[in-house]
């Protein structure tokens, strides 16, 4: 058990809909990362938050947004969903300092039909 | 985004064989990490290498960081079926706020 909790584990929704994925980081970790993993693109970095503030942005679409709340949990919002958004979405947490280990949750499998 | 290229993409070997996988970039990293991911699970850290030229050993796994801190290799001696999984390298840089940018991974299958 990594200590990172992601909910829900599975999500099936229709095109055009909006969903929210939730992540509770490991106790004491200030940084949260979101990743999208698909078979053809590998593990793509979306966005990182540190203590409530956005720290780094990767290949995140404009239809996607995220935030980190004062209690350090994070949510990833995906809107106007398309079939191609079907993927595994991982959250990871770390202390956010140099060379630190990232601990990953078990992921949310999103299927858009 | 700093690009990390991993090779080979797929590797299927028999138990007892040795193998090496590579992680290359044109960017310099503060450190580089190797993770292993099993189906249905998130990646789990194997090692962090920080100093150029550094070699770290984890049982039958040997990790090396290139002298220029742009590349790394993972060597597995006498592979076991339990080594099967997706091996991912990730580079960390202060320029990107220490966000982990992963390569696409090497999918390893070790058959008995």
């Amino acid at each position: 058990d990594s200590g990172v909790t992601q909910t829900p584990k599975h999500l099936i929704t229709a095109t055009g809909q909006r969903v929210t994925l939730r992540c509770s980081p490991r106790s004491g970790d200030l940084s949260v990362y979101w990743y999208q993993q698909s078979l053809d693109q590998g593990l793509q970095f979306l966005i990182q938050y540190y203590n409530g503030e956005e720290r780094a942005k990767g290949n995140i679409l404009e239809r996607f947004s995220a935030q980190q709340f004062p209690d350090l949990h994070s949510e990833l919002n995906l809107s106007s969903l398309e079939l191609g958004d079907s993927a595994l979405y991982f959250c990871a947490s770390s202390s956010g300092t140099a060379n630190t280990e990232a601990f990953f949750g078990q992921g949310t499998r999103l299927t858009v039909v | 985004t700093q690009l990390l290229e991993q090779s080979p993409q797929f590797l299927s070997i028999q138990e007892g064989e040795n193998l090496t996988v590579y992680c290359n970039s044109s960017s310099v990293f503060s450190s580089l990490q190797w993770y292993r991911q099993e189906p249905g699970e998130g990646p789990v850290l194997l090692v962090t290498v920080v100093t150029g030229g550094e070699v770290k050993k984890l049982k039958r796994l040997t990790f090396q960081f290139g002298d220029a801190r742009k590349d790394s290799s993972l060597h597995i001696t006498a592979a076991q079926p339990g080594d099967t999984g997706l091996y991912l390298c990730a580079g960390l840089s202060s320029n990107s706020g220490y966000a982990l940018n992963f390569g696409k991974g090497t999918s390893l299958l070790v058959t008995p």
Side-chain angles (χ1 to χ4, degrees):
Chain A
D1 181 9
S2 67
V4 177
T5 304
Q6 287 188 249
T7 56
K9 283 190 167 41
H10 302 276
L11 199 48
I12 301 175
T13 190
T15 54
Q17 295 299 303
R18 172 189 169 94
V19 297
T20 297
L21 311 185
R22 183 188 167 98
C23 171
S24 293
R26 220 169 54 112
S27 177
D29 283 350
L30 297 178
S31 195
V32 168
Y33 311 79
W34 286 99
Y35 291 88
Q36 180 193 58
Q37 189 174 38
S38 57
L39 281 173
D40 57 340
Q41 291 295 319
L43 199 60
Q44 293 276 303
F45 169 62
L46 296 178
I47 198 163
Q48 179 198 6
Y49 281 84
Y50 180 81
N51 204 20
E53 300 289 325
E54 183 184 304
R55 179 181 260 191
K57 215 168 191 175
N59 301 322
I60 188 165
L61 299 172
E62 284 192 13
R63 299 183 286 109
F64 297 180
S65 65
Q67 54 184 327
Q68 186 179 27
F69 295 88
D71 67 353
L72 301 177
H73 91 270
S74 179
E75 292 180 357
L76 178 67
N77 300 296
L78 315 176
S79 62
S80 303
L81 284 166
E82 302 175 359
L83 295 177
D85 297 328
S86 296
L88 260 173
Y89 290 84
F90 284 103
C91 167
S93 76
S94 76
S95 64
T97 54
N99 309 328
T100 185
E101 176 178 0
F103 294 86
F104 282 78
Q106 291 204 308
T108 292
R109 182 171 291 282
L110 174 66
T111 303
V112 183
V113 297
Chain B
T1 302
Q2 295 137 324
L3 196 61
L4 281 157
E5 300 282 348
Q6 287 190 244
S7 61
Q9 195 174 350
F10 300 100
L11 195 51
S12 180
I13 61 171
Q14 289 199 308
E15 183 175 0
E17 291 185 32
N18 301 332
L19 66 118
T20 302
V21 300
Y22 300 92
C23 175
N24 295 294
S25 175
S26 57
S27 301
V28 176
F29 295 104
S30 304
S31 62
L32 196 141
Q33 296 182 332
W34 284 92
Y35 288 76
R36 189 174 116 197
Q37 184 180 19
E38 298 192 22
E41 304 287 331
V44 176
L45 180 70
L46 295 173
V47 78
T48 301
V49 284
V50 179
T51 307
E54 181 178 7
V55 176
K56 277 193 174 177
K57 290 195 174 186
L58 188 66
K59 296 183 181 176
R60 293 176 292 100
L61 278 60
T62 302
F63 304 85
Q64 183 159 10
F65 201 12
D67 290 341
R69 305 207 319 275
K70 293 183 179 181
D71 54 79
S72 181
S73 63
L74 157 59
H75 182 79
I76 301 179
T77 303
Q80 304 291 314
D83 296 327
T84 293
L86 180 66
Y87 289 82
L88 296 155
C89 66
L92 291 93
S93 170
S94 58
N95 294 338
S96 60
Y98 299 111
L100 286 170
N101 282 292
F102 285 87
K104 287 192 177 182
T106 293
S107 182
L108 172 66
L109 174 64
V110 182
T111 53

